[in-house]
Amino acid sequence: MIVGWCTVLSIILWGLVIDRGVVAWLNRRCDQPFRDGTDFLFSSILPALAISGGAATILGAFHGLRWEIVLPLVVVSMIWRRRDLVAVLGDLAALFRKIAAETKNGNPIPALAAFTCLIICYVWSVQSQFPSGIADVWVFHIPLANSIIDHAGFVSPQIDHPFYGNIPLFFNLLFALVMLVSGHWTGAAVMNIAIFFGFLFLLSSCASRWRACGFFLVAVLILSIPFFRGSVGEPMTDLARSCFSIAAVLFLWRYLETRRPGELFHCALVLGGAVGGKYTELQMVGLIGLALMPTLFRGRVSLPLFLSCLCAFLAVAGYWYAKNLIVLGNPIYPFIFGHPGLTDAWMADYMLELGRAFDPANRHFVTNLATLQGWHDFLHILYNWFLAGKPNAFVALALILAGLAMAFRRIASLAAMTAAMSVIWYTVMFNHIRWATPAYLLFFSTGFIGASLVRERLDRWLDEQILPRITPFKKVASSPACMVASLVIISLLAGGLWIAHWHRLGGSDIDPVQTKEFDVALGMISVDKYMESHREAYFMYRYIADHDLRAVFQPFDTANTLLSTAYNDGRDGGWQLPRYVLPAPGSDIDAFIKNNRIAYFIVPPDAGSAFLAERIGEDKIAIANSVIAHMMPRSSLILMDRFGWKLYRFDADRAS
């Protein structure tokens, strides 16, 4: 984990150094090229990652992602841009000095914000060690990253699947850059944490004066929702591409506010990262283009700036689409134009899956907004899925309305884009709520911008009425005695809370079922104990590996062999048959069992559910059930976990 973080920070540092030189050149005619060093550090993390990813894309296209190539290039470029390197390190040192100075002057908020970031980072880093239970992580994302490492770049297809092996892979490339050094899938999780932190810092830096206080408001609005918080440590690309997409919107807003060319350049960089990560983010090109259109028509964007932004966008996103156009004849393969390597039947099934709700229970909703019922269902979904039971969502809505009332023209484009993205999601991509992540993230971001605009209107009143009254308290708080006493009190309070929580969980006899993810970070329970009690199949698959059971028949888990490997530290003992290994209809079941040496089988509690039948196929479920029914009379239950998963031993010689 430490190696992973060092690698991510090195990647960000290199990107910041290159970015600073470019932005300084673009902003050379501005009275203030940078708002300040802190703003550059906070707002440029995602553009720095985009620059690093763009450079890696160029190297990967020529199979140059090798240590002997990457390291000399990094060293030479750092020497070449040594003045920018010194400037970035100076900005970082100035940030620490500013935090110390503010604390000494009686303002503890910057120090508390920094401490909060460290705590959150530690907790997410611990939680990222939990092997993901999402099959896509082990079927696509980690294999794609490993394939990039193995080939020192890109091939077509990247993995043995014509569709998933040819999709845009910008974020999988970022995963690969970390895993190239760390050698473990947790490196991908660390990269996702860094991307999310980069977005939070960018949003906080959009505030005019109160960046430290703004971070706490960002935390209240966004981090308090499990919808975002629970995805941070997963090696998935959905949250990462959402952060890049909404970062592009925020940079566009900053450009319209400040007219600094560097902001528009950053917008192009992160938009390229988003589009280079998923086809769905092509919608953002249209939305951002529409928002920028009035400025373009008025001639306020110079031709050199436009070309610089276009080159930045294409450098990050262009490779994936150009490669598909050259190799497959379709830049957005396999959509719209053609799908070589995929049958018409496969594409028809895939398009049907994309165009309807993933959960059959949600398929009665009408997504046609040309009808009154469609608008009724749309508003129903917005309220029940995104607002109901979420007080911070109502706070964000109130802040958006307040911002519109205070400064309509400055926030109207953000509110309109939030509405447009919600409509696009519902009418085009109403497959799963995760496709709405960008719209939901922009909703809270717009709420924060609204709060910032309200704060600007209140600045004079706060300076005249509030700040003079708290000055005496600041002097007391800044005294050495008070600072030492505060540290002692906080330490005693934290220790007391830890001991009280430890006793409440049962002391030395802690019940793992009662623990939470945060308890793992507190050191009260190990990762394995927590996973066994909270993740279905984890205990079962660990037990199978520890006792070297084989072969296990498990046809009800779409990623059984992959999860078995992930849950056992990467070991693959061939314990389980792949779930697609089934007898042909009407064939001899005894011969199938004998040929595959089946000695055990698993029956999950949802083996007969309609949802599982749809995901795996009703015909395959029927065949699997016939095999289990054939073995059950000669089997004995040897294990059942707390989720209801049952492991049976099959005795072929026992009479039924």
Side-chain angles (χ1 to χ4, degrees):
M1 185 61 65
I2 295 176
V3 175
W5 269 112
C6 290
T7 305
V8 169
L9 293 176
S10 299
I11 293 171
I12 293 173
L13 177 62
W14 184 84
L16 287 173
V17 170
I18 303 301
D19 184 52
R20 186 180 179 89
V22 176
V23 171
W25 181 79
L26 290 172
N27 291 347
R28 64 192 182 280
R29 291 187 176 89
C30 297
D31 294 335
Q32 190 178 8
F34 298 99
R35 176 180 163 190
D36 56 40
T38 300
D39 179 70
F40 173 78
L41 290 176
F42 282 4
S43 64
S44 298
I45 293 176
L46 297 187
L49 289 173
I51 290 174
S52 298
T57 301
I58 296 173
L59 290 177
F62 298 98
H63 298 276
L65 286 180
R66 308 174 188 274
W67 269 113
E68 57 270 23
I69 297 176
V70 173
L71 190 58
L73 288 176
V74 170
V75 173
V76 170
S77 60
M78 284 292 200
I79 295 174
W80 173 49
R81 305 306 306 178
R82 57 189 177 276
R83 292 183 179 178
D84 294 316
L85 174 60
V86 172
V88 170
L89 296 177
D91 290 340
L92 191 60
L95 174 61
F96 292 138
R97 288 196 299 269
K98 187 175 181 180
I99 292 174
E102 289 290 329
T103 304
K104 186 177 180 180
N105 293 332
N107 180 15
I109 294 179
L112 289 175
F115 181 71
T116 302
C117 288
L118 291 176
I119 294 297
I120 294 174
C121 180
Y122 167 73
V123 172
W124 281 344
S125 298
V126 172
Q127 293 175 355
S128 69
Q129 299 178 54
F130 302 167
S132 176
I134 301 174
D136 284 0
V137 170
W138 311 109
V139 177
F140 307 124
H141 297 298
I142 298 302
L144 284 168
N146 283 325
S147 176
I148 293 172
I149 295 171
D150 294 339
H151 294 95
F154 313 123
V155 293
S156 183
Q158 198 69 54
I159 58 174
D160 189 20
H161 194 287
F163 173 57
Y164 293 102
N166 289 292
I167 59 176
L169 300 176
F170 176 78
F171 295 107
N172 301 98
L173 172 61
L174 291 182
F175 294 168
L177 291 180
V178 188
M179 293 170 60
L180 181 66
V181 179
S182 68
H184 197 266
W185 58 264
T186 51
V190 169
M191 176 58 76
N192 264 355
I193 295 173
I195 289 173
F196 195 54
F197 262 120
F199 176 80
L200 298 180
F201 290 156
L202 166 62
L203 186 55
S204 302
S205 69
C206 288
S208 58
R209 289 173 53 185
W210 47 301
R211 283 178 294 215
C213 293
F215 177 80
F216 287 108
L217 179 57
V218 168
V220 170
L221 289 177
I222 296 178
L223 296 185
S224 57
I225 296 187
F227 182 78
F228 299 116
R229 190 178 65 245
S231 303
V232 175
E234 293 279 2
M236 293 278 288
T237 63
D238 292 308
L239 185 60
R241 52 102 182 172
S242 300
C243 289
F244 270 68
S245 285
I246 306 310
V249 177
L250 294 177
F251 279 122
L252 176 62
W253 181 82
R254 287 163 62 104
Y255 171 72
L256 297 176
E257 288 281 303
T258 65
R259 298 298 175 181
R260 289 194 187 98
E263 304 289 0
L264 193 59
F265 180 76
H266 280 171
C267 173
L269 279 174
V270 295
L271 182 60
V275 173
K278 213 170 190 69
Y279 292 132
T280 55
E281 301 318 301
L282 286 169
Q283 65 171 317
M284 300 306 300
V285 178
L287 291 175
I288 288 177
L290 287 174
L292 191 60
M293 199 68 70
T295 305
L296 291 173
F297 284 154
R298 293 169 187 165
R300 295 182 179 177
V301 178
S302 65
L303 181 61
L305 174 59
F306 178 80
L307 292 177
S308 298
C309 293
L310 180 62
C311 290
F313 174 80
L314 293 177
V316 180
Y319 169 81
W320 316 104
Y321 297 85
K323 184 265 294 183
N324 280 353
L325 177 62
I326 295 170
V327 176
L328 300 166
N330 182 356
I332 53 173
Y333 174 86
F335 301 104
I336 301 178
F337 300 104
H339 45 267
L342 297 170
T343 65
D344 292 341
W346 190 93
M347 278 303 300
D349 290 341
Y350 187 72
M351 295 304 295
L352 177 64
E353 182 178 338
L354 288 180
R356 66 179 182 179
F358 185 76
D359 190 341
N362 296 323
R363 291 177 185 167
H364 67 280
F365 292 113
V366 177
T367 57
N368 182 9
L369 294 185
T371 64
L372 290 177
Q373 185 62 43
W375 279 102
H376 173 272
D377 291 348
F378 176 52
L379 296 176
H380 172 83
I381 289 294
L382 287 184
Y383 178 78
N384 286 280
W385 288 22
F386 301 104
L387 293 174
K390 301 176 179 66
N392 48 344
F394 283 101
V395 171
L397 180 60
L399 291 174
I400 293 173
L401 296 176
L404 289 170
M406 291 284 187
F408 180 83
R409 294 183 63 182
R410 297 176 63 186
I411 196 177
S413 60
L414 294 178
M417 200 171 292
T418 303
M421 292 177 67
S422 300
V423 169
I424 292 172
W425 166 71
Y426 185 72
T427 57
V428 181
M429 298 183 291
F430 187 59
N431 173 267
H432 196 277
I433 191 174
R434 70 187 178 102
W435 300 116
T437 303
Y440 205 29
L441 196 58
L442 181 57
F443 170 76
F444 286 104
S445 301
T446 306
F448 177 81
I449 298 297
S452 178
L453 296 178
V454 172
R455 169 68 168 79
E456 287 182 17
R457 289 294 184 92
L458 297 177
D459 270 353
R460 183 175 179 181
W461 176 76
L462 290 171
D463 290 342
E464 293 179 355
Q465 301 294 328
I466 302 300
L467 294 181
R469 297 182 181 180
I470 66 174
T471 299
F473 297 100
K474 291 177 64 176
K475 292 181 179 179
V476 174
S478 62
S479 64
C482 185
M483 294 177 66
V484 172
S486 298
L487 291 175
V488 172
I489 292 172
I490 291 173
S491 300
L492 292 176
L493 181 61
L497 291 174
W498 188 93
I499 294 173
H501 185 60
W502 183 71
H503 279 290
R504 187 162 61 251
L505 287 177
S508 57
D509 298 321
I510 291 177
D511 182 2
V513 177
Q514 297 180 2
T515 58
K516 306 294 183 183
E517 291 183 355
F518 190 65
D519 295 324
V520 182
L522 292 175
M524 295 183 176
I525 185 174
S526 67
V527 173
D528 276 344
K529 285 293 184 182
Y530 176 84
M531 293 288 290
E532 288 178 0
S533 58
H534 288 76
R535 179 75 60 79
E536 63 179 16
Y538 185 86
F539 174 70
M540 188 76 70
Y541 290 172
R542 294 278 290 186
Y543 180 89
I544 290 170
D546 290 342
H547 294 81
D548 196 23
L549 306 184
R550 64 182 72 199
V552 181
F553 183 62
Q554 162 57 311
F556 303 107
D557 187 350
T558 57
N560 65 317
T561 53
L562 294 169
L563 290 179
S564 181
T565 301
Y567 290 168
N568 287 284
D569 304 319
R571 290 183 295 148
D572 183 7
W575 305 289
Q576 299 189 51
L577 293 180
R579 59 98 178 170
Y580 53 80
V581 176
L582 296 168
S587 62
D588 187 349
I589 294 179
D590 282 322
F592 170 79
I593 295 172
K594 183 178 180 181
N595 292 337
N596 290 280
R597 300 178 181 178
I598 296 174
Y600 303 87
F601 62 92
I602 295 174
V603 181
D606 61 343
S609 68
F611 176 76
L612 195 62
E614 180 179 284
R615 299 307 301 165
I616 294 179
E618 293 185 4
D619 55 338
K620 295 180 180 179
I621 289 292
I623 294 173
N625 284 329
S626 67
V627 174
I628 288 176
H630 186 83
M631 291 190 291
M632 189 63 75
R634 291 178 286 171
S635 303
S636 56
L637 177 67
I638 61 173
L639 183 68
M640 183 174 72
D641 68 8
R642 63 179 296 267
F643 299 100
W645 287 54
K646 297 178 180 179
L647 176 65
Y648 291 87
R649 179 190 293 112
F650 172 64
D651 186 358
D653 298 327
R654 194 172 77 186
S656 59

